[in-house]
Amino acid sequence: EVQLVESGGGLVQPGGSLRLTCAASGFTFSLYWMHWVRQVPGKGPVWVSRINSDGSSTDYADSVKGRFTISRDNAKNTLYLQMNSLRVEDTAVYFCARVGSRCSGGTCYSHWGQGTLVTVSS
Amino acid sequence: QSVLTQPPSVSAAPGQKVTISCSGSSSNIGNNYVSWYQQLPGTAPKLVIYDNNKRPSGIPDRFSGSKSGTSATLGITGLQTGDEADYYCGTWDSSLSAVVFGGGTKLTVL
């Protein structure tokens, strides 16, 4: 069974940093692109970042570019999101998501973690 | 303001059919595959349609998807109370180089 388990969320002051972790199991992690998606409760999901299967290519939403860094450790089956210079507007639940094996476009998410809440507030 | 436009809410009686629209542009829906997600309160989104009209394993055939031009539609027939949820469309936007989602549609089964 595919499982994605996020951790690392919490309360942080504006300008601070957090590192989110997504532990993957139940599939060959090294074969899949992985994404981070965030969602403010009551609002729609917002894409944050993606990384290719071997970690050599990354993309970011304009709103986080230069502040967030996505990475992965295929030996540990783990995805990361390093978040620096956090802003109040970064407050959201952060999900890691795996691209579906049958998705032609590469941007459909067949599996999601349970999410971890990041709150940026003074 | 979301890149993809969905109606805020739809409703229908149990057993009836409902459709949810998702409107975009040539840089997203018009030239990329659309996915649909169901989200129950307090849970992560769940994929119900991918590649415009395909159902993942375990999704009943009451759920269907279609795409025409720069719009996509999710259809649900034989509505059940368990279908009450928020539904989101998503796709790649070639101009933004980003995945984009709709603002969501709350389905109420009266």
Side-chain angles (χ1 to χ4, degrees), chain A residues 1-59:
Chain A
E1 179 192 3
V2 172
Q3 281 201 317
L4 299 170
V5 179
E6 301 96 336
S7 60
L11 175 64
V12 61
Q13 292 188 337
S17 298
L18 276 179
R19 188 176 84 155
L20 305 184
T21 297
C22 171
S25 62
F27 65 101
T28 306
F29 181 70
S30 61
L31 295 182
Y32 289 87
W33 289 59
M34 296 294 296
H35 294 230
W36 287 99
V37 177
R38 68 186 182 186
Q39 185 175 29
V40 174
K43 303 291 187 180
V46 175
W47 177 75
V48 173
S49 181
R50 69 176 180 178
I51 187 167
N52 69 344
S53 56
D54 67 7
S56 62
S57 177
T58 59
D59 293 293

Short mmCIF file of all heavy atoms in Angstrom, two decimals, chain A residues 1-59:
data_model
loop_
_atom_site.label_atom_id
_atom_site.label_comp_id
_atom_site.label_asym_id
_atom_site.label_seq_id
_atom_site.Cartn_x
_atom_site.Cartn_y
_atom_site.Cartn_z
N GLU A 1 0.84 -1.19 0.00
CA GLU A 1 0.00 0.00 0.00
C GLU A 1 0.88 1.25 0.00
O GLU A 1 1.80 1.39 0.81
CB GLU A 1 -0.89 0.01 1.25
CG GLU A 1 -1.78 1.24 1.35
CD GLU A 1 -2.42 1.36 2.74
OE1 GLU A 1 -2.12 0.53 3.62
OE2 GLU A 1 -3.21 2.30 2.94
N VAL A 2 0.56 2.16 -0.91
CA VAL A 2 1.31 3.41 -0.97
C VAL A 2 1.00 4.26 0.25
O VAL A 2 -0.16 4.44 0.62
CB VAL A 2 0.94 4.19 -2.25
CG1 VAL A 2 1.56 5.59 -2.23
CG2 VAL A 2 1.37 3.42 -3.50
N GLN A 3 2.03 4.77 0.88
CA GLN A 3 1.86 5.68 2.02
C GLN A 3 2.81 6.85 1.88
O GLN A 3 3.99 6.68 1.53
CB GLN A 3 2.11 4.96 3.34
CG GLN A 3 0.96 4.10 3.82
CD GLN A 3 1.02 3.81 5.31
OE1 GLN A 3 2.08 3.52 5.83
NE2 GLN A 3 -0.11 3.91 5.98
N LEU A 4 2.29 8.02 2.16
CA LEU A 4 3.07 9.25 2.22
C LEU A 4 2.76 9.91 3.55
O LEU A 4 1.59 10.17 3.86
CB LEU A 4 2.69 10.18 1.07
CG LEU A 4 2.92 9.66 -0.35
CD1 LEU A 4 2.28 10.59 -1.38
CD2 LEU A 4 4.41 9.49 -0.62
N VAL A 5 3.79 10.14 4.35
CA VAL A 5 3.59 10.69 5.68
C VAL A 5 4.45 11.93 5.85
O VAL A 5 5.69 11.85 5.87
CB VAL A 5 3.93 9.66 6.78
CG1 VAL A 5 3.71 10.27 8.16
CG2 VAL A 5 3.08 8.41 6.62
N GLU A 6 3.77 13.09 5.97
CA GLU A 6 4.49 14.35 6.15
C GLU A 6 4.74 14.62 7.63
O GLU A 6 3.98 14.18 8.50
CB GLU A 6 3.70 15.54 5.58
CG GLU A 6 3.36 15.45 4.10
CD GLU A 6 1.98 14.89 3.87
OE1 GLU A 6 1.47 14.17 4.75
OE2 GLU A 6 1.38 15.17 2.80
N SER A 7 5.79 15.37 7.88
CA SER A 7 6.10 15.84 9.23
C SER A 7 6.90 17.12 9.12
O SER A 7 7.37 17.49 8.03
CB SER A 7 6.87 14.78 10.02
OG SER A 7 8.09 14.48 9.36
N GLY A 8 7.06 17.79 10.24
CA GLY A 8 7.91 18.98 10.27
C GLY A 8 7.16 20.30 10.34
O GLY A 8 7.79 21.36 10.48
N GLY A 9 5.85 20.25 10.24
CA GLY A 9 5.09 21.50 10.32
C GLY A 9 5.08 22.04 11.75
O GLY A 9 5.53 21.39 12.68
N GLY A 10 4.58 23.25 11.87
CA GLY A 10 4.51 23.86 13.19
C GLY A 10 4.36 25.35 13.09
O GLY A 10 4.11 25.91 12.02
N LEU A 11 4.52 26.00 14.24
CA LEU A 11 4.40 27.46 14.33
C LEU A 11 5.79 28.08 14.21
O LEU A 11 6.73 27.68 14.90
CB LEU A 11 3.77 27.85 15.67
CG LEU A 11 3.68 29.34 15.99
CD1 LEU A 11 2.79 30.04 14.99
CD2 LEU A 11 3.18 29.53 17.41
N VAL A 12 5.90 29.06 13.32
CA VAL A 12 7.18 29.73 13.12
C VAL A 12 6.91 31.22 12.92
O VAL A 12 5.86 31.61 12.40
CB VAL A 12 7.93 29.13 11.91
CG1 VAL A 12 7.14 29.29 10.63
CG2 VAL A 12 9.33 29.72 11.78
N GLN A 13 7.85 32.04 13.34
CA GLN A 13 7.70 33.48 13.17
C GLN A 13 8.03 33.90 11.73
O GLN A 13 8.79 33.21 11.04
CB GLN A 13 8.63 34.22 14.14
CG GLN A 13 8.23 34.08 15.59
CD GLN A 13 9.07 34.97 16.50
OE1 GLN A 13 10.18 35.37 16.15
NE2 GLN A 13 8.52 35.30 17.65
N PRO A 14 7.45 35.00 11.28
CA PRO A 14 7.82 35.51 9.95
C PRO A 14 9.32 35.68 9.84
O PRO A 14 9.98 36.14 10.77
CB PRO A 14 7.09 36.85 9.90
CG PRO A 14 5.91 36.67 10.79
CD PRO A 14 6.39 35.81 11.92
N GLY A 15 9.85 35.26 8.69
CA GLY A 15 11.29 35.29 8.48
C GLY A 15 12.01 34.03 8.89
O GLY A 15 13.19 33.86 8.58
N GLY A 16 11.29 33.15 9.57
CA GLY A 16 11.89 31.93 10.05
C GLY A 16 11.96 30.83 9.00
O GLY A 16 11.59 31.03 7.84
N SER A 17 12.42 29.66 9.43
CA SER A 17 12.60 28.52 8.53
C SER A 17 11.97 27.26 9.11
O SER A 17 11.84 27.12 10.33
CB SER A 17 14.09 28.25 8.29
OG SER A 17 14.71 29.36 7.67
N LEU A 18 11.60 26.36 8.21
CA LEU A 18 11.12 25.04 8.57
C LEU A 18 11.54 24.07 7.48
O LEU A 18 11.68 24.47 6.31
CB LEU A 18 9.59 25.00 8.68
CG LEU A 18 8.90 25.43 9.96
CD1 LEU A 18 7.38 25.32 9.80
CD2 LEU A 18 9.36 24.61 11.15
N ARG A 19 11.74 22.82 7.84
CA ARG A 19 11.97 21.78 6.84
C ARG A 19 10.90 20.72 6.99
O ARG A 19 10.77 20.10 8.05
CB ARG A 19 13.35 21.14 6.98
CG ARG A 19 13.64 20.20 5.81
CD ARG A 19 15.04 19.62 5.84
NE ARG A 19 15.13 18.44 6.68
CZ ARG A 19 16.04 17.48 6.53
NH1 ARG A 19 16.94 17.58 5.54
NH2 ARG A 19 16.09 16.47 7.36
N LEU A 20 10.15 20.53 5.92
CA LEU A 20 9.13 19.49 5.89
C LEU A 20 9.73 18.22 5.33
O LEU A 20 10.59 18.25 4.45
CB LEU A 20 7.94 19.92 5.04
CG LEU A 20 7.26 21.24 5.41
CD1 LEU A 20 6.04 21.45 4.53
CD2 LEU A 20 6.90 21.29 6.87
N THR A 21 9.24 17.10 5.84
CA THR A 21 9.69 15.79 5.39
C THR A 21 8.48 14.96 4.98
O THR A 21 7.42 15.05 5.62
CB THR A 21 10.45 15.08 6.52
OG1 THR A 21 11.63 15.83 6.84
CG2 THR A 21 10.85 13.68 6.12
N CYS A 22 8.64 14.19 3.93
CA CYS A 22 7.60 13.27 3.47
C CYS A 22 8.22 11.90 3.33
O CYS A 22 9.07 11.68 2.45
CB CYS A 22 7.02 13.75 2.15
SG CYS A 22 5.89 12.60 1.33
N ALA A 23 7.83 10.98 4.19
CA ALA A 23 8.34 9.62 4.16
C ALA A 23 7.44 8.77 3.28
O ALA A 23 6.23 8.69 3.52
CB ALA A 23 8.40 9.05 5.57
N ALA A 24 8.03 8.15 2.27
CA ALA A 24 7.26 7.37 1.30
C ALA A 24 7.49 5.88 1.51
O ALA A 24 8.61 5.44 1.86
CB ALA A 24 7.65 7.76 -0.11
N SER A 25 6.46 5.09 1.27
CA SER A 25 6.59 3.64 1.35
C SER A 25 5.53 3.00 0.47
O SER A 25 4.55 3.64 0.08
CB SER A 25 6.43 3.17 2.80
OG SER A 25 5.15 3.51 3.30
N GLY A 26 5.75 1.73 0.16
CA GLY A 26 4.77 0.98 -0.61
C GLY A 26 4.91 1.09 -2.11
O GLY A 26 4.09 0.55 -2.85
N PHE A 27 5.94 1.79 -2.58
CA PHE A 27 6.20 1.90 -4.01
C PHE A 27 7.67 2.22 -4.22
O PHE A 27 8.39 2.55 -3.27
CB PHE A 27 5.31 2.96 -4.66
CG PHE A 27 5.57 4.38 -4.22
CD1 PHE A 27 6.29 5.26 -4.99
CD2 PHE A 27 5.07 4.84 -3.00
CE1 PHE A 27 6.53 6.57 -4.58
CE2 PHE A 27 5.29 6.14 -2.58
CZ PHE A 27 6.02 7.01 -3.37
N THR A 28 8.12 2.10 -5.45
CA THR A 28 9.52 2.38 -5.77
C THR A 28 9.69 3.88 -5.90
O THR A 28 9.48 4.45 -6.98
CB THR A 28 9.94 1.65 -7.05
OG1 THR A 28 9.66 0.25 -6.92
CG2 THR A 28 11.44 1.84 -7.29
N PHE A 29 10.04 4.52 -4.81
CA PHE A 29 10.09 5.97 -4.70
C PHE A 29 10.96 6.60 -5.79
O PHE A 29 10.59 7.64 -6.35
CB PHE A 29 10.64 6.33 -3.32
CG PHE A 29 10.74 7.80 -3.03
CD1 PHE A 29 9.61 8.58 -2.85
CD2 PHE A 29 11.99 8.42 -2.92
CE1 PHE A 29 9.70 9.93 -2.56
CE2 PHE A 29 12.10 9.76 -2.63
CZ PHE A 29 10.96 10.53 -2.46
N SER A 30 12.06 5.96 -6.12
CA SER A 30 13.03 6.54 -7.05
C SER A 30 12.52 6.62 -8.48
O SER A 30 13.19 7.21 -9.34
CB SER A 30 14.32 5.73 -7.01
OG SER A 30 14.09 4.39 -7.40
N LEU A 31 11.36 6.05 -8.75
CA LEU A 31 10.83 6.07 -10.12
C LEU A 31 9.85 7.22 -10.37
O LEU A 31 9.45 7.45 -11.51
CB LEU A 31 10.12 4.75 -10.43
CG LEU A 31 10.99 3.50 -10.45
CD1 LEU A 31 10.14 2.28 -10.82
CD2 LEU A 31 12.16 3.65 -11.43
N TYR A 32 9.46 7.91 -9.32
CA TYR A 32 8.36 8.86 -9.44
C TYR A 32 8.77 10.30 -9.19
O TYR A 32 9.52 10.62 -8.27
CB TYR A 32 7.24 8.51 -8.46
CG TYR A 32 6.50 7.27 -8.84
CD1 TYR A 32 6.95 6.01 -8.44
CD2 TYR A 32 5.35 7.34 -9.63
CE1 TYR A 32 6.27 4.86 -8.81
CE2 TYR A 32 4.66 6.19 -9.99
CZ TYR A 32 5.14 4.96 -9.58
OH TYR A 32 4.45 3.82 -9.94
N TRP A 33 8.21 11.21 -10.02
CA TRP A 33 8.24 12.62 -9.71
C TRP A 33 7.39 12.83 -8.45
O TRP A 33 6.38 12.16 -8.25
CB TRP A 33 7.64 13.43 -10.84
CG TRP A 33 8.46 13.52 -12.08
CD1 TRP A 33 8.90 12.48 -12.86
CD2 TRP A 33 8.92 14.71 -12.71
NE1 TRP A 33 9.60 12.96 -13.93
CE2 TRP A 33 9.63 14.33 -13.87
CE3 TRP A 33 8.79 16.08 -12.42
CZ2 TRP A 33 10.23 15.26 -14.73
CZ3 TRP A 33 9.37 17.00 -13.27
CH2 TRP A 33 10.08 16.60 -14.41
N MET A 34 7.78 13.79 -7.65
CA MET A 34 7.05 14.11 -6.43
C MET A 34 6.78 15.61 -6.38
O MET A 34 7.58 16.42 -6.89
CB MET A 34 7.84 13.68 -5.19
CG MET A 34 8.06 12.19 -5.06
SD MET A 34 6.55 11.25 -4.78
CE MET A 34 6.03 11.86 -3.19
N HIS A 35 5.67 15.97 -5.76
CA HIS A 35 5.26 17.37 -5.68
C HIS A 35 4.92 17.74 -4.25
O HIS A 35 4.57 16.89 -3.43
CB HIS A 35 4.01 17.61 -6.53
CG HIS A 35 4.20 17.44 -8.00
ND1 HIS A 35 3.79 18.39 -8.93
CD2 HIS A 35 4.74 16.43 -8.73
CE1 HIS A 35 4.05 17.96 -10.16
NE2 HIS A 35 4.64 16.78 -10.07
N TRP A 36 4.98 19.03 -3.97
CA TRP A 36 4.40 19.62 -2.77
C TRP A 36 3.26 20.54 -3.20
O TRP A 36 3.40 21.33 -4.13
CB TRP A 36 5.44 20.43 -1.99
CG TRP A 36 6.46 19.60 -1.26
CD1 TRP A 36 7.72 19.31 -1.66
CD2 TRP A 36 6.28 18.97 0.01
NE1 TRP A 36 8.35 18.53 -0.72
CE2 TRP A 36 7.49 18.31 0.33
CE3 TRP A 36 5.23 18.89 0.94
CZ2 TRP A 36 7.69 17.58 1.51
CZ3 TRP A 36 5.42 18.17 2.11
CH2 TRP A 36 6.64 17.53 2.39
N VAL A 37 2.16 20.39 -2.49
CA VAL A 37 0.96 21.21 -2.74
C VAL A 37 0.50 21.73 -1.39
O VAL A 37 0.53 21.00 -0.40
CB VAL A 37 -0.17 20.37 -3.38
CG1 VAL A 37 -1.44 21.20 -3.57
CG2 VAL A 37 0.29 19.80 -4.72
N ARG A 38 0.09 22.98 -1.33
CA ARG A 38 -0.39 23.52 -0.07
C ARG A 38 -1.83 24.00 -0.20
O ARG A 38 -2.32 24.27 -1.30
CB ARG A 38 0.50 24.66 0.43
CG ARG A 38 0.48 25.93 -0.41
CD ARG A 38 1.53 26.92 0.12
NE ARG A 38 1.54 28.19 -0.62
CZ ARG A 38 2.43 29.16 -0.42
NH1 ARG A 38 3.38 29.01 0.50
NH2 ARG A 38 2.37 30.27 -1.14
N GLN A 39 -2.47 24.08 0.94
CA GLN A 39 -3.89 24.46 0.92
C GLN A 39 -4.25 25.18 2.20
O GLN A 39 -4.04 24.66 3.30
CB GLN A 39 -4.76 23.20 0.77
CG GLN A 39 -6.24 23.49 0.61
CD GLN A 39 -7.04 22.22 0.35
OE1 GLN A 39 -6.67 21.13 0.78
NE2 GLN A 39 -8.16 22.35 -0.37
N VAL A 40 -4.77 26.37 2.05
CA VAL A 40 -5.34 27.09 3.17
C VAL A 40 -6.72 26.50 3.42
O VAL A 40 -7.49 26.32 2.47
CB VAL A 40 -5.45 28.59 2.87
CG1 VAL A 40 -6.18 29.32 3.98
CG2 VAL A 40 -4.07 29.19 2.62
N PRO A 41 -7.04 26.14 4.65
CA PRO A 41 -8.37 25.57 4.93
C PRO A 41 -9.48 26.43 4.34
O PRO A 41 -9.51 27.64 4.52
CB PRO A 41 -8.41 25.54 6.46
CG PRO A 41 -6.98 25.36 6.86
CD PRO A 41 -6.20 26.17 5.86
N GLY A 42 -10.38 25.76 3.59
CA GLY A 42 -11.49 26.46 2.97
C GLY A 42 -11.18 27.01 1.59
O GLY A 42 -12.07 27.56 0.91
N LYS A 43 -9.93 26.86 1.16
CA LYS A 43 -9.53 27.35 -0.17
C LYS A 43 -9.06 26.19 -1.02
O LYS A 43 -8.90 25.06 -0.54
CB LYS A 43 -8.39 28.37 -0.03
CG LYS A 43 -8.72 29.56 0.85
CD LYS A 43 -9.76 30.46 0.22
CE LYS A 43 -9.96 31.73 1.03
NZ LYS A 43 -10.99 32.63 0.42
N GLY A 44 -8.82 26.44 -2.31
CA GLY A 44 -8.36 25.40 -3.20
C GLY A 44 -6.88 25.09 -3.01
O GLY A 44 -6.13 25.90 -2.46
N PRO A 45 -6.46 23.94 -3.47
CA PRO A 45 -5.04 23.58 -3.40
C PRO A 45 -4.21 24.53 -4.26
O PRO A 45 -4.69 25.05 -5.27
CB PRO A 45 -4.99 22.15 -3.95
CG PRO A 45 -6.39 21.67 -3.94
CD PRO A 45 -7.26 22.88 -4.10
N VAL A 46 -2.97 24.71 -3.86
CA VAL A 46 -2.03 25.54 -4.61
C VAL A 46 -0.72 24.78 -4.76
O VAL A 46 -0.14 24.34 -3.77
CB VAL A 46 -1.78 26.89 -3.91
CG1 VAL A 46 -0.71 27.70 -4.65
CG2 VAL A 46 -3.07 27.70 -3.80
N TRP A 47 -0.29 24.62 -5.98
CA TRP A 47 0.95 23.90 -6.24
C TRP A 47 2.14 24.71 -5.75
O TRP A 47 2.19 25.94 -5.90
CB TRP A 47 1.08 23.64 -7.74
CG TRP A 47 2.34 22.98 -8.15
CD1 TRP A 47 2.67 21.66 -7.97
CD2 TRP A 47 3.45 23.59 -8.81
NE1 TRP A 47 3.91 21.42 -8.50
CE2 TRP A 47 4.41 22.58 -9.02
CE3 TRP A 47 3.73 24.88 -9.25
CZ2 TRP A 47 5.63 22.83 -9.65
CZ3 TRP A 47 4.93 25.13 -9.88
CH2 TRP A 47 5.87 24.11 -10.07
N VAL A 48 3.11 24.00 -5.16
CA VAL A 48 4.29 24.66 -4.60
C VAL A 48 5.55 24.33 -5.39
O VAL A 48 6.30 25.22 -5.81
CB VAL A 48 4.48 24.27 -3.12
CG1 VAL A 48 5.80 24.83 -2.58
CG2 VAL A 48 3.30 24.73 -2.28
N SER A 49 5.77 23.02 -5.60
CA SER A 49 7.04 22.64 -6.20
C SER A 49 6.97 21.20 -6.68
O SER A 49 6.11 20.42 -6.24
CB SER A 49 8.16 22.78 -5.16
OG SER A 49 9.42 22.43 -5.70
N ARG A 50 7.91 20.83 -7.56
CA ARG A 50 8.02 19.45 -8.00
C ARG A 50 9.48 19.10 -8.22
O ARG A 50 10.32 19.98 -8.47
CB ARG A 50 7.23 19.20 -9.27
CG ARG A 50 7.79 19.88 -10.52
CD ARG A 50 6.99 19.51 -11.76
NE ARG A 50 7.51 20.15 -12.97
CZ ARG A 50 7.03 19.96 -14.18
NH1 ARG A 50 6.00 19.15 -14.37
NH2 ARG A 50 7.56 20.57 -15.22
N ILE A 51 9.76 17.81 -8.18
CA ILE A 51 11.12 17.31 -8.39
C ILE A 51 11.04 16.04 -9.20
O ILE A 51 10.14 15.21 -9.00
CB ILE A 51 11.84 17.09 -7.03
CG1 ILE A 51 13.31 16.74 -7.23
CG2 ILE A 51 11.13 16.02 -6.19
CD1 ILE A 51 14.13 16.82 -5.94
N ASN A 52 11.97 15.86 -10.11
CA ASN A 52 11.94 14.66 -10.93
C ASN A 52 12.45 13.45 -10.16
O ASN A 52 12.88 13.57 -9.00
CB ASN A 52 12.68 14.88 -12.25
CG ASN A 52 14.17 15.00 -12.09
OD1 ASN A 52 14.67 15.22 -10.98
ND2 ASN A 52 14.90 14.88 -13.17
N SER A 53 12.43 12.32 -10.80
CA SER A 53 12.67 11.07 -10.08
C SER A 53 14.08 10.96 -9.50
O SER A 53 14.25 10.39 -8.41
CB SER A 53 12.38 9.87 -10.98
OG SER A 53 13.15 9.95 -12.16
N ASP A 54 15.09 11.51 -10.16
CA ASP A 54 16.44 11.39 -9.63
C ASP A 54 16.92 12.66 -8.93
O ASP A 54 18.09 12.73 -8.50
CB ASP A 54 17.43 10.96 -10.71
CG ASP A 54 17.62 12.01 -11.79
OD1 ASP A 54 17.09 13.14 -11.65
OD2 ASP A 54 18.30 11.72 -12.80
N GLY A 55 16.06 13.64 -8.85
CA GLY A 55 16.39 14.87 -8.13
C GLY A 55 17.17 15.89 -8.92
O GLY A 55 17.58 16.92 -8.37
N SER A 56 17.36 15.65 -10.19
CA SER A 56 18.21 16.55 -10.99
C SER A 56 17.46 17.76 -11.54
O SER A 56 18.09 18.70 -12.05
CB SER A 56 18.83 15.77 -12.15
OG SER A 56 17.82 15.26 -13.01
N SER A 57 16.13 17.74 -11.46
CA SER A 57 15.34 18.83 -12.00
C SER A 57 14.25 19.23 -11.02
O SER A 57 13.55 18.37 -10.48
CB SER A 57 14.71 18.40 -13.33
OG SER A 57 13.88 19.42 -13.84
N THR A 58 14.12 20.52 -10.81
CA THR A 58 13.11 21.04 -9.88
C THR A 58 12.39 22.24 -10.48
O THR A 58 12.93 22.94 -11.35
CB THR A 58 13.74 21.47 -8.55
OG1 THR A 58 14.73 22.48 -8.80
CG2 THR A 58 14.40 20.29 -7.84
N ASP A 59 11.15 22.45 -10.05
CA ASP A 59 10.39 23.62 -10.46
C ASP A 59 9.65 24.17 -9.25
O ASP A 59 9.31 23.42 -8.32
CB ASP A 59 9.36 23.25 -11.55
CG ASP A 59 10.01 22.86 -12.86
OD1 ASP A 59 10.63 23.74 -13.49
OD2 ASP A 59 9.90 21.68 -13.23
#
